[in-house]
């Protein structure tokens, strides 16, 4: 059966997730409806505890919705995970200190059974993609926080999945490093054509990076707005001073306020 290239890469309909806790049920996601197309860069923004990361984890089959529909590449998330349809970048780089950068990046390739020659070729390619050529033999402690996070992105790209899921990967970095990595991530996205789901608390980051911004309400997490960006794909940092950028940022802010208006 031929894959329908026009089908959404990620599709959610009437999605709900309720956690059972000692204090009773907690609804983390409520009636989430969303369609993400191939090649989209989609940011999820909202207050802490609104379900941004929970939704990303549902896509990755790390959490399981209690009702509704969710597909990844037109199949259930569990099947997409087995098909290695996505790479996942966590908030912390999560690199093993006893492994070199190359050793960390090739870890999923070792698990998947790639030959040593294939591993070496892929490691060289993805380290080049994230501008870490020459650092393959270094250990994580010899790299800055920003470089470690780039190594984490390289590891997620190593097996060339079509989807990249990123959970606040730059949240702990200072603003100067964050700006640089935002620029590099846009270049990486342009070069690879990946579909990216990106969780952030930063309005400027969401507006700068995204083709689509999903604004979520406080728990239970609902989508209050889905904003299609009108910014050009080529985005120098100073685009953040433009009237169009500020207009989109204002709409995101209004969406966040609207979310707080729910009871």
């Amino acid at each position: 059966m031929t894959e329908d290239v026009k089908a959404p890469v990620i599709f959610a309909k009437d999605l709900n997730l309720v956690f059972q806790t000692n204090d009773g049920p907690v609804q983390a996601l409520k009636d989430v409806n969303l369609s993400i197309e191939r090649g989209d860069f989609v940011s999820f923004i909202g207050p802490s505890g609104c379900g941004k990361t929970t939704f990303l984890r549902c896509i990755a089959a790390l959490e399981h919705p209690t009702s509704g529909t969710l597909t990844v590449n037109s199949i259930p998330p569990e099947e997409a995970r087995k098909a290695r349809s996505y790479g996942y970048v966590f908030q912390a780089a999560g690199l093993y200190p006893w492994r070199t950068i190359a050793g960390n990046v090739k870890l999923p390739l070792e698990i998947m059974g790639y030959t040593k020659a294939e591993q070496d070729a892929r490691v060289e390619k993805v380290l080049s993609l994230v501008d870490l050529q020459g650092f393959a033999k270094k250990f994580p402690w010899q790299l800055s926080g920003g470089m470690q996070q780039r190594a984490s992105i390289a590891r997620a790209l190593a097996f060339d999945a079509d989807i990249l899921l990123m959970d606040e990967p730059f949240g702990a970095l200072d603003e100067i490093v964050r700006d640089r990595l935002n620029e590099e991530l846009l270049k990486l996205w342009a070069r690879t054509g990946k579909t990216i789901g990106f969780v952030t608390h930063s309005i400027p980051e969401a507006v700068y990076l995204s083709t689509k911004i999903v604004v979520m309400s406080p728990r239970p997490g609902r989508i209050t707005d889905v904003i299609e960006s009108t910014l050009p794909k080529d985005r120098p940092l100073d685009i953040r001073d433009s009237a169009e950028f500020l207009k989109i940022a204002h709409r995101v802010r209004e969406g966040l306020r609207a979310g707080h208006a729910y009871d």
Side-chain angles (χ1 to χ4, degrees):
M1 184 170 152
T2 304
E3 182 183 354
D4 183 359
V5 295
K6 293 183 179 179
V9 173
I10 296 164
F11 178 74
K13 182 173 175 59
D14 300 328
L15 193 75
N16 290 274
L17 190 150
V18 178
F19 290 115
Q20 299 300 329
T21 72
N22 291 335
D23 297 323
V26 174
Q27 184 147 18
L29 296 171
K30 182 175 174 61
D31 299 331
V32 171
N33 292 282
L34 185 65
S35 181
I36 296 175
E37 308 303 321
R38 193 168 305 280
D40 273 350
F41 193 127
V42 180
S43 286
F44 299 89
I45 189 167
S48 295
C50 75
K52 305 182 298 295
T53 293
T54 299
F55 183 64
L56 210 68
R57 288 174 63 85
C58 286
I59 296 169
L62 298 173
E63 303 288 356
H64 304 285
T66 46
S67 65
T69 300
L70 179 62
T71 59
V72 180
N73 284 339
S74 302
I75 58 178
E78 293 83 358
E79 292 182 30
R81 176 173 55 80
K82 292 173 185 175
R84 298 163 185 162
S85 297
Y86 60 84
Y88 201 109
V89 181
F90 295 90
Q91 293 180 30
L95 303 174
Y96 290 113
W98 59 86
R99 277 184 169 248
T100 63
I101 296 306
N104 272 282
V105 171
K106 70 171 58 171
L107 181 59
L109 303 176
E110 292 174 2
I111 294 169
M112 293 174 188
Y114 284 85
T115 66
K116 187 178 185 304
E118 287 173 323
Q119 291 175 29
D120 292 341
R122 284 175 177 262
V123 168
E124 183 179 359
K125 178 183 177 182
V126 294
L127 287 181
S128 176
L129 274 175
V130 299
D131 197 23
L132 283 179
Q133 309 97 312
F135 291 90
K137 295 182 180 179
K138 300 291 186 184
F139 288 89
W141 58 269
Q142 295 176 298
L143 273 61
S144 68
M147 293 171 79
Q148 288 182 32
Q149 202 62 321
R150 277 191 275 153
S152 177
I153 294 170
R155 181 176 57 193
L157 293 171
F159 50 97
D160 202 25
D162 292 332
I163 303 167
L164 187 59
L165 303 174
M166 310 183 76
D167 185 8
E168 289 196 81
F170 310 140
L173 304 175
D174 67 65
E175 190 173 356
I176 294 170
V177 174
R178 190 169 181 155
D179 282 352
R180 185 183 169 204
L181 290 183
N182 278 182
E183 286 185 294
E184 290 181 358
L185 181 56
L186 275 185
K187 291 175 186 174
L188 177 70
W189 172 63
R191 288 197 300 268
T192 62
K194 305 287 185 194
T195 305
I196 298 181
F198 187 93
V199 168
T200 181
H201 278 101
S202 166
I203 294 175
E205 184 170 66
V207 177
Y208 178 69
L209 290 174
S210 312
T211 59
K212 183 182 292 182
I213 304 157
V214 177
V215 185
M216 298 185 69
S217 71
R219 196 176 64 228
R222 287 166 284 201
I223 294 176
T224 60
D225 200 2
V226 178
I227 302 165
E228 300 280 351
S229 177
T230 52
L231 297 177
K233 272 199 167 185
D234 184 18
R235 301 177 187 181
L237 273 177
D238 60 11
I239 202 170
R240 296 181 301 185
D241 298 322
S242 69
E244 192 61 31
F245 186 98
L246 296 174
K247 179 181 175 183
I248 298 169
H250 177 75
R251 182 169 163 186
V252 174
R253 208 166 276 110
E254 289 299 303
L256 292 170
R257 288 197 188 106
H260 280 281
Y262 283 109
D263 51 33

